Amino acid sequence: SQQGEEDPQALSIQEGENATMNCSYKTSINNLQWYRQNSGRGLVHLILIRSNEREKHSGRLRVTLDTSKKSSSLLITASRAADTASYFCATDLYSSASKIIFGSGTRLSIRP
Amino acid sequence: NAGVTQTPKFRVLKTGQSMTLLCAQDMNHEYMYWYRQDPGMGLRLIHYSVGEGTTAKGEVPDGYNVSRLKKQNFLLGLESAAPSQTSVYFCASSYSPDRHPTDYGYTFGSGTRLTVV
């Protein structure tokens, strides 16, 4: 079974708008990561947030983590055509912190 | 600095054939992973390794074997390919100077697209 689940499964927005994706997970974690995958390519690490952090920024990316609700959100501000991709959250397991488990992803499309 | 390199990039196998996928990393990472990605299902962990000479099972290990004889290489083997193993396979590695390798982002290869007919 998958640890993390993203919502929505697909999102289409206008260029320049903000995009928000959510991730929910089931068990306690050490940290949560977000990855981007362009069509036909490998995954690229975007940002990592630790369980004792509530918010983190990296350029146009903002990630929040609510461990009480077991959820995270990824906000991409001022979207660009190049942001079109699938976005995945990944969590480790607090009891077995040697691997991460991925959710099924959110497909983001940016309309020109 | 190539990062994580996977070979081959594409392969078509007949049912029952065997093959080995090679993953090589030049970042001196301790941890290496094999995932498969199927449409709509995200990535699922097949096997992983926490260091040279060690391997462990992931979520979907059946039908696959792995070996980590050298730190920089992680091999994924299919002994008798089945159509259900048609997928895109990704290798990843992670740096781990301490006991929490997941404190660092993974570096992924570009994938191997395998079709079993």
Side-chain angles (χ1 to χ4, degrees), chain B residues 34-106:
Chain B
W34 277 106
Y35 289 87
R36 61 177 288 174
Q37 185 177 33
D38 301 298
M41 297 193 70
L43 279 79
R44 291 183 292 170
L45 181 64
I46 305 171
H47 286 283
Y48 65 102
S49 169
V50 303
E52 182 178 314
T54 72
T55 62
K57 294 180 180 179
E59 300 173 271
V60 289
D62 294 342
Y64 305 95
N65 57 76
V66 288
S67 65
R68 184 99 180 268
L69 299 180
K70 293 183 178 180
K71 185 177 182 178
Q72 62 268 33
N73 296 335
F74 195 28
L75 306 180
L76 177 69
L78 287 73
E79 290 186 348
S80 180
S84 61
Q85 294 178 305
T86 294
S87 187
V88 181
Y89 291 86
F90 287 100
C91 177
S93 68
S94 175
Y95 176 59
S96 173
D98 54 34
R99 66 183 182 90
H100 281 304
T102 61
D103 282 353
Y104 301 86
Y106 286 18

Side-chain angles (χ1 to χ4, degrees), chain A:
Chain A
S1 63
Q2 291 180 305
Q3 164 75 322
E5 293 294 337
E6 288 90 341
D7 173 64
Q9 291 186 326
L11 178 63
S12 179
I13 62 172
Q14 204 76 28
E15 190 168 13
E17 294 180 336
N18 295 340
T20 300
M21 289 157 272
N22 303 297
C23 171
S24 60
Y25 58 92
K26 300 174 183 176
T27 61
S28 297
I29 61 173
N30 293 297
N31 60 58
L32 183 144
Q33 305 181 32
W34 285 92
Y35 288 79
R36 183 188 73 233
Q37 184 181 35
N38 292 94
S39 181
R41 309 292 291 272
L43 279 73
V44 174
H45 180 254
L46 295 176
I47 197 166
L48 180 151
I49 185 165
R50 302 186 193 284
S51 59
N52 61 354
E53 297 175 314
R54 292 295 168 260
E55 188 171 310
K56 203 163 183 179
H57 296 256
S58 177
R60 294 184 297 113
L61 305 180
R62 172 178 169 255
V63 169
T64 61
L65 179 64
D66 186 336
T67 53
S68 66
K69 295 181 179 179
K70 292 186 171 59
S71 67
S72 173
S73 67
L74 171 66
L75 169 67
I76 303 174
T77 60
S79 63
R80 307 167 181 170
D83 294 328
T84 294
S86 291
Y87 292 82
F88 296 88
C89 71
T91 55
D92 65 356
L93 297 175
Y94 186 80
S95 59
S96 177
S98 57
K99 56 188 183 291
I100 58 175
I101 306 297
F102 288 82
S104 53
T106 293
R107 295 187 307 279
L108 175 64
S109 299
I110 308 300
R111 303 190 303 271

Side-chain angles (χ1 to χ4, degrees), chain B residues 15-35:
Chain B
T15 298
Q17 285 186 320
S18 63
M19 78 163 295
T20 299
L21 282 67
L22 171 63
C23 177
Q25 54 96 1
D26 60 2
M27 298 168 287
N28 201 34
H29 284 178
E30 290 289 338
Y31 286 66
M32 297 186 73
Y33 309 82
W34 277 106
Y35 289 87

